[in-house]
Amino acid sequence: MMGPTHDNKMSSSGAGQAARIGSMDFVRGVVMILMAIDHVRVYSGLPAGGPTAGIFFTRWVTHFVAPGFVFLAGTGAYLHGRKLGNHTALAKFLFTRGAWLVLLELTVIRIAWTFNFDFAHYLLAGVIWMIGWCMILMAAAVYLPTTVIGVIGVAIIALHNITNLFTAQLREVYANSEPNWLLKILYFGGALELGSSGPPLLILYVIVPWIGVMMAGYAYGVIAEMPVERRRAICLRIGAVLSAGFVALRAVNVYGDPRPWQGHLLTLPGFLGFLNTTKYPASLEFLLMTLGPMCILWAFVEGWKGGAAGATETFGRVPMFYYLLHIPLIHLAACIVSLVREGRINPWLFGNHPLAPPPVPPGYTWSLGQLYLVFSLCVIALYFPCRWFARVRAERRSKWLSYL
């Protein structure tokens, strides 16, 4: 892998390259589409992960979203840096964009989730918060050789579950207290009190291991630049190794997310238990389970053409724009569904979603069919503004547009 030269200039081969990698946009587009499923589920009243197989897989298929989103953000940062040709310019971009994302999470996105202004009692540190802080950390990391960034990223992913081996000691340390604010942000998560009168910050996405995923994605940018056939072969090989690693670790069930999974794999309960890995914080097995198939998908979609492929790539070209639109659109759609079904907009829809909503009102919960119908209509509706914005970004080349 290639690292930075000592004069703070990035290697010039590929610098200023304007052509996009269609397969990367396709994979990112798949991630964005899957994301909408779980966010519709938030307003459907259906629980996350059970009790039926249909509800389990409705949640499980969206597990590929956060790892893909973060990994490809790292790859995108590498490719953007190659265009800039200068690590200082890239660091400045990552720092300012990261700070912008953190601000959006605590303001615009929080309002979109809740449709309320209850800032005195509820702040959410979700996926955009986490990506923002990871970008800020990457602003410092980009001065390292790309190989070193990749090694550090892989090490964080592979080794962070060592903390599980010291669970008893950690419980003893924090028996009468909680981890401090920094440890909560970095790894433990939970509620962070912002002063005696401030609102609690509910930390859903912590920094570790996600910074490792972004660093690994950054190093993967070297592979993304390779000729198609070589890139396809390497993607397929990496995906197969990661997927096999997940199966092996899960079968041994000693490290990486050792959890009981009942029954035999050939039975439905056993199979669901095998796939039920920990997302908060993301375990090694969770990341292997999701990143492996993502790499395999990238290998198989190289060169795909046609209307469906083009539409999927459109979403992948404007991921942040899509994200900012899809939450209020889905929330609005849920209000319309409530109005049609109940003759009113249920006040539950103005609770503090998605992490601390009130109990689901009796009789409110949707069927899976209703969930997927709303999801499909929302994705179709999102295509048109995303296509427009993708054209604007391609034609105007404004640095301000790169922040969306």
Side-chain angles (χ1 to χ4, degrees):
M1 291 185 180
M2 301 174 62
T5 57
H6 295 289
D7 63 354
N8 198 40
K9 297 288 185 180
M10 303 185 80
S11 177
S12 61
S13 60
Q17 182 177 343
R20 297 189 65 93
I21 300 172
S23 55
M24 178 176 167
D25 285 332
F26 184 97
V27 174
R28 187 159 44 203
V30 170
V31 166
M32 307 313 294
I33 292 170
L34 291 177
M35 179 188 299
I37 297 176
D38 195 50
H39 294 167
V40 173
R41 182 202 56 78
V42 167
Y43 299 108
S44 72
L46 289 168
T52 67
I55 296 175
F56 175 88
F57 282 109
T58 293
R59 171 65 170 171
W60 182 83
V61 74
T62 66
H63 284 337
F64 293 86
V65 172
F69 206 15
V70 176
F71 186 90
L72 293 173
T75 306
Y78 173 89
L79 296 174
H80 188 67
R82 298 281 279 170
K83 294 177 183 179
L84 295 174
N86 182 290
H87 284 90
T88 299
L90 176 60
K92 180 180 178 181
F93 170 78
L94 289 172
F95 184 89
T96 54
R97 191 166 197 263
W100 169 239
L101 294 183
V102 171
L103 178 63
L104 284 176
E105 179 75 82
L106 298 178
T107 55
V108 175
I109 296 172
R110 181 237 174 271
I111 294 171
W113 275 119
T114 63
F115 281 3
N116 71 49
F117 294 88
D118 185 24
F119 283 91
H121 299 93
Y122 180 75
L123 286 175
L124 174 66
V127 67
I128 301 302
W129 153 282
M130 173 269 291
I131 291 175
W133 281 112
C134 286
M135 284 186 170
I136 291 172
L137 294 175
M138 283 298 301
V142 295
Y143 290 99
L144 297 172
T146 306
T147 303
V148 173
I149 295 174
V151 169
I152 294 174
V154 171
I156 291 172
I157 293 170
L159 301 177
H160 80 95
N161 278 132
I162 287 177
T163 57
N164 294 343
L165 304 178
F166 303 99
T167 301
Q169 291 86 339
L170 289 172
R171 286 177 178 171
E172 183 176 342
V173 169
Y174 296 115
N176 299 314
S177 63
E178 293 185 340
N180 63 37
W181 65 270
L182 182 59
L183 290 176
K184 284 186 176 182
I185 291 173
L186 287 176
Y187 193 73
F188 290 99
L192 182 63
E193 297 296 333
L194 303 178
S196 58
S197 59
L201 176 65
L202 304 183
I203 303 171
L204 181 61
Y205 281 88
V206 292
I207 305 302
V208 176
W210 294 109
I211 182 60
V213 176
M214 187 173 287
M215 295 175 84
Y218 183 91
Y220 197 85
V222 176
I223 298 171
E225 285 190 310
M226 292 178 178
V228 172
E229 288 307 316
R230 188 179 179 197
R231 181 171 69 220
R232 187 204 309 270
I234 295 176
C235 285
L236 189 58
R237 193 177 307 129
I238 292 175
V241 169
L242 295 180
S243 299
F246 162 69
V247 173
L249 277 177
R250 200 77 179 119
V252 174
N253 206 27
V254 172
Y255 176 77
D257 193 6
R259 303 177 67 189
W261 46 281
Q262 304 296 325
H264 192 272
L265 278 179
L266 297 180
T267 68
L268 184 60
F271 183 61
L272 298 186
F274 191 85
L275 296 177
N276 188 25
T277 54
T278 301
K279 183 178 181 180
Y280 305 110
S283 67
L284 170 59
E285 290 180 9
F286 176 89
L287 294 173
L288 293 175
M289 178 183 73
T290 51
L291 291 174
M294 186 202 73
C295 292
I296 293 172
L297 174 64
W298 192 335
F300 276 102
V301 302
E302 292 284 3
W304 277 19
K305 303 295 181 184
T312 304
E313 287 182 21
T314 295
F315 292 132
R317 286 197 291 270
V318 291
M320 196 60 214
F321 182 77
Y322 174 102
Y323 191 95
L324 290 174
L325 284 185
H326 91 289
I327 295 176
L329 176 64
I330 289 171
H331 201 168
L332 177 62
C335 291
I336 295 172
V337 170
S338 178
L339 186 62
V340 171
R341 294 178 69 208
E342 305 177 72
R344 61 168 187 149
I345 299 177
N346 198 301
W348 180 77
L349 290 166
F350 301 96
N352 290 327
H353 298 280
L355 190 54
V360 180
Y364 174 87
T365 306
W366 303 0
S367 67
L368 274 177
Q370 289 173 318
L371 186 158
Y372 280 101
L373 175 61
V374 172
F375 152 73
S376 301
L377 293 175
C378 286
V379 169
I380 292 170
L382 285 164
Y383 171 72
F384 299 99
C386 288
R387 183 180 63 178
W388 165 79
F389 189 67
R391 288 175 180 171
V392 170
R393 286 188 63 176
E395 294 170 359
R396 297 190 183 178
R397 299 292 180 184
S398 168
K399 67 176 182 179
W400 301 109
L401 294 177
S402 64
Y403 286 82
L404 289 177

